[in-house]
């Protein structure tokens, strides 16, 4: 069982916006602004989308945005496109010796 | 542009040692601003951080508690790569193993992944 809780699946139509939540504790998500989001297409390695809660690496579309409130972080994808269909994972630094914890992943379906 | 290229066997027998290598291009394993990490992914355990090595005037290694007694991550400066060794594997260690560069607070990029199956 993953340390961070994400919904198993979300869906949306092209052009719509969706939000994926990631719930942890005060020892990880709530305690640090070190939340990341990764996109993973089938058979591929995860790709960094968001770091430090809401920052985007260069080259990542501004349709992807991140935020955090308390122990819950969120990823919003606006203007859904077919190529956004993928699995999305959150991660957070943790004060435990594990250092990094991940969510169980959310499968995004673009209808 | 940093790229990571993984190599190693995809099948390991129970009780034996899993060994993987990650070759780095576009950066140095001796970088003072990065750490070099192994992460695995399986249906039962999800994504799991295994450990890292990094250089800050000397070499350091950190390991996840879950594998600490069985894991070794080593740098190879002559080949600009780093390796993972996981001893005494069981079928529970079956997973896709990824190497990744750990920046300040993120993992980017990742290697292409290696499916390692533990089976006799």
């Amino acid at each position: 069982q993953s340390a961070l809780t994400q919904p198993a699946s979300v869906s949306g139509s092209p052009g719509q916006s969706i939000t994926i939540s990631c719930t942890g504790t005060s020892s990880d998500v709530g305690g640090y602004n070190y939340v990341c989001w990764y996109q993973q297409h089938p058979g591929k390695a995860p790709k960094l989308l968001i770091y430090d809660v809401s920052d985007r690496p260069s080259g990542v579309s501004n349709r992807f945005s991140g935020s955090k409130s308390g122990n819950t972080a969120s990823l919003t994808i606006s203007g859904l496109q077919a190529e956004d269909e993928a699995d999305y994972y959150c991660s957070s630094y943790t004060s435990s010796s594990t250092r990094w914890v991940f969510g169980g992943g959310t499968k995004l379906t673009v209808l | 542009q940093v790229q990571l290229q993984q190599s190693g066997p995809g099948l390991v027998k129970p009780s034996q040692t899993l060994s993987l290598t990650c070759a780095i291009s576009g950066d140095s394993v001796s970088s003072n601003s990065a750490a070099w990490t192994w992460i695995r992914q399986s249906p039962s355990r999800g994504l799991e951080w295994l450990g890292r090595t990094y250089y800050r005037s000397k070499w350091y290694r950190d390991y996840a508690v879950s594998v600490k007694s069985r894991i070794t991550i080593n740098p190879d400066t002559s080949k600009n790569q780093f390796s993972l060794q996981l001893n005494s594997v069981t079928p529970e260690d079956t997973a896709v193993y990824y190497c990744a560069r750990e920046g300040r607070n993120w993992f980017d990029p990742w290697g292409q992944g290696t499916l390692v199956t533990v089976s006799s």
Side-chain angles (χ1 to χ4, degrees):
Chain A
Q1 188 171 350
S2 299
L4 305 180
T5 301
Q6 299 180 231
S9 63
V10 298
S11 62
S13 299
Q16 289 186 332
S17 295
I18 63 95
T19 296
I20 299 171
S21 62
C22 170
T23 301
T25 69
S26 58
S27 296
D28 38 65
V29 174
Y32 305 92
N33 288 325
Y34 300 151
V35 175
C36 294
W37 289 92
Y38 299 90
Q39 177 191 60
Q40 186 178 35
H41 286 105
K44 300 293 187 182
K47 171 191 171 187
L48 178 67
L49 284 181
I50 298 286
Y51 65 95
D52 290 354
V53 176
S54 59
D55 290 339
R56 277 187 310 275
S58 61
V60 172
S61 171
N62 59 9
R63 298 187 299 105
F64 296 92
S65 61
S67 62
K68 189 185 86 167
S69 177
N71 295 336
T72 298
S74 298
L75 171 71
T76 298
I77 308 174
S78 59
L80 271 179
Q81 299 178 1
E83 59 261 36
D84 297 334
E85 188 162 291
D87 294 327
Y88 292 83
Y89 295 89
C90 61
S91 74
S92 173
Y93 180 81
T94 173
S95 57
S96 79
S97 57
T98 309
R99 281 189 57 81
W100 295 99
V101 287
F102 292 89
T106 298
K107 181 176 180 57
L108 169 62
T109 300
V110 180
L111 302 171
Chain B
Q1 179 187 357
V2 180
Q3 292 186 317
L4 304 177
Q5 181 68 37
Q6 299 177 217
S7 59
L11 181 63
V12 182
K13 289 182 167 48
S15 79
Q16 295 193 343
T17 297
L18 180 161
S19 295
L20 296 173
T21 299
C22 183
I24 303 164
S25 59
D27 201 345
S28 170
V29 71
S30 304
S31 166
N32 277 301
S33 59
W36 303 97
T37 299
W38 288 95
I39 295 166
R40 67 182 177 184
Q41 184 176 29
S42 66
S44 59
R45 302 171 74 101
L47 285 162
E48 181 182 14
W49 178 85
L50 297 177
R52 65 175 184 166
T53 186
Y54 59 100
Y55 185 77
R56 302 289 186 270
S57 301
K58 69 175 186 177
W59 288 102
Y60 293 87
R61 296 165 181 80
D62 298 315
Y63 299 131
V65 170
S66 60
V67 294
K68 191 168 187 176
S69 63
R70 302 190 291 131
I71 189 173
T72 303
I73 296 175
N74 280 329
D76 182 344
T77 56
S78 66
K79 295 181 179 179
N80 200 31
Q81 63 187 28
F82 63 108
S83 63
L84 166 69
Q85 285 195 311
L86 189 64
N87 303 325
S88 305
V89 296
T90 71
E92 283 230 335
D93 294 310
T94 294
V96 177
Y97 286 76
Y98 293 100
C99 61
R101 181 179 66 169
E102 180 183 329
R104 190 165 51 85
N105 300 309
W106 58 83
F107 299 110
D108 181 64
W110 297 53
Q112 80 274 23
T114 302
L115 172 59
V116 179
T117 302
V118 178
S119 174
S120 54

